[in-house]
Amino acid sequence: MPELLFLLLPVAAAYGWFMGRNSLKTKELKGRADVTRNLSSGLNFLLTDQEDKAIEQLLELLDIEAATIDTYLALANLFRRKGDWDKAIKIHEKLHQLKLPKNKAQQIQFELAKDYFSAGLFDRAEYLLLPLTDNELLREAVLKQLFSIFLATHEPQKAVALQPAVEKTQSRSLRIMLANMQIQHLEKSQQLDLNRLQQLAEHFPQAIRPRVALARQALAEQQPAVAKAAILSVLKQRVQWAAELLPLLQQCQLDATEWQQLLSPLADKHNISACLLLTDHLAEHQSAAAAEQYLLPKLRQQPNIRLFQKLLQLRQQQSALAAEALISVEELVNAYLDSKALYSCRNCGFKTRQPYWLCPSCQQWETVEPIAGIDGR
């Protein structure tokens, strides 16, 4: 009899394992059924425009099934794009509470910070973003978001403190952003001086604003050679800035020959401002006829309203009879030009008559430039 009981032990163990396995399967199937039921219920709420109830229902699933995180991220981003920041925050906050791998957790933290920024909760967004500057994959996007916060809160000095993090990236746009924030900080603290501006101009060759500020400050401090070098450096990089910078270059105490030598290569590149100034130079130092002789081929090569306006002025200088006939034409041309934008953003196409270092439309730095073309400068 004892031997029989001994033989039944494996049978009992096998039976216990079999029943336990069936019990686990039953619980698993029940859990999946609950998930499916809650998911279906949440989707029904969404379809019937009961978004608050839908979110509550769907968030309950996070305690059961964390494998659908990407779905929740997509849903939260959809709410943020629609302007429903409170709903996006609710989802991202719930996701942020889960125990997830570090990279996924930091991605969710970044998304939550963007929700806070969109909702105007800048301090909360900054608190979440600052630790993420150590994340190599997110660093560039995080820094750009932080700079947007510092711009909105008028705290450029905080951007200056993040220069070491910016230097760890290869981003040209970040360096331009930082250079502009540095200038804003110097202006705000009234610390603009030639040494600081020269350091910025050398450290951020990608940016234009430090060199323009350097040129203006150098002229204010009676150092035309420094201003000239800064202006020519910008024009070599982006000739379209001639419309803004050539009037400054005129203040650099250049003699007539040097001024003509500087203008000629710019005019040969079909820069309208250089052509206009060179025409004035020829009219002053030679004659109106010589200036017109220079201007006519340029006008044929590159039709432009401003060049045409200059031609009208030259014709009026040469003949009193022509002046009387052309004055009404010039008034029409002036009225036309007064209605035209002077600057355009090369990134988004925003047009304006006022210069901006930061585009009001796309929020990109140094993309608003003097307009070229038939009514450009």
Side-chain angles (χ1 to χ4, degrees), residues 1-13:
M1 187 69 178
E3 293 81 0
L4 183 60
L5 290 174
F6 180 75
L7 291 173
L8 288 175
L9 283 176
V11 176

Side-chain angles (χ1 to χ4, degrees), residues 156-282:
Q157 70 278 4
K158 290 186 176 181
V160 176
L162 289 174
Q163 181 169 333
V166 172
E167 307 249 338
K168 292 179 182 178
T169 74
Q170 301 297 320
S171 173
R172 180 178 180 274
S173 60
L174 262 179
R175 283 166 170 74
I176 292 175
M177 292 171 70
L178 179 58
N180 278 269
M181 300 289 272
Q182 293 257 33
I183 296 292
Q184 285 190 337
H185 172 56
L186 292 178
E187 290 175 345
K188 184 178 180 181
S189 57
Q190 297 183 341
Q191 295 179 351
L192 281 176
D193 62 71
L194 282 184
N195 289 333
R196 297 287 292 274
L197 290 172
Q198 282 179 322
Q199 290 173 2
L200 285 178
E202 292 171 4
H203 196 78
F204 298 101
Q206 308 89 345
I208 292 173
R209 189 175 182 181
R211 284 171 284 170
V212 175
L214 174 62
R216 295 184 188 279
Q217 188 67 24
L219 288 173
E221 296 185 20
Q222 302 297 316
Q223 296 199 36
V226 175
K228 174 186 169 184
I231 292 169
L232 292 180
S233 173
V234 175
L235 293 178
K236 184 177 180 180
Q237 183 178 347
R238 300 199 68 83
V239 70
Q240 55 268 46
W241 281 87
E244 291 296 307
L245 298 181
L246 286 178
L248 292 179
L249 194 58
Q250 280 183 296
Q251 303 174 40
C252 292
Q253 301 177 8
L254 307 175
D255 59 44
T257 302
E258 187 179 9
W259 180 236
Q260 184 171 344
Q261 289 174 346
L262 287 173
L263 290 176
S264 294
L266 293 173
D268 290 341
K269 295 178 181 178
H270 304 293
N271 183 270
I272 301 301
S273 294
C275 289
L276 292 171
L277 288 171
L278 188 52
T279 301
D280 287 338
H281 177 81
L282 292 172

Side-chain angles (χ1 to χ4, degrees), residues 18 22 25 32 92 184 198 204 211 216 242 248 250 283 302 317 358 369 373 375:
F18 178 77
N22 281 348
K25 283 186 175 180
R32 289 181 180 176
H92 282 136
Q184 285 190 337
Q198 282 179 322
F204 298 101
R211 284 171 284 170
R216 295 184 188 279
L248 292 179
Q250 280 183 296
Q302 187 177 9
Q317 291 176 24
L358 178 68
E369 300 175 333
D375 18 69

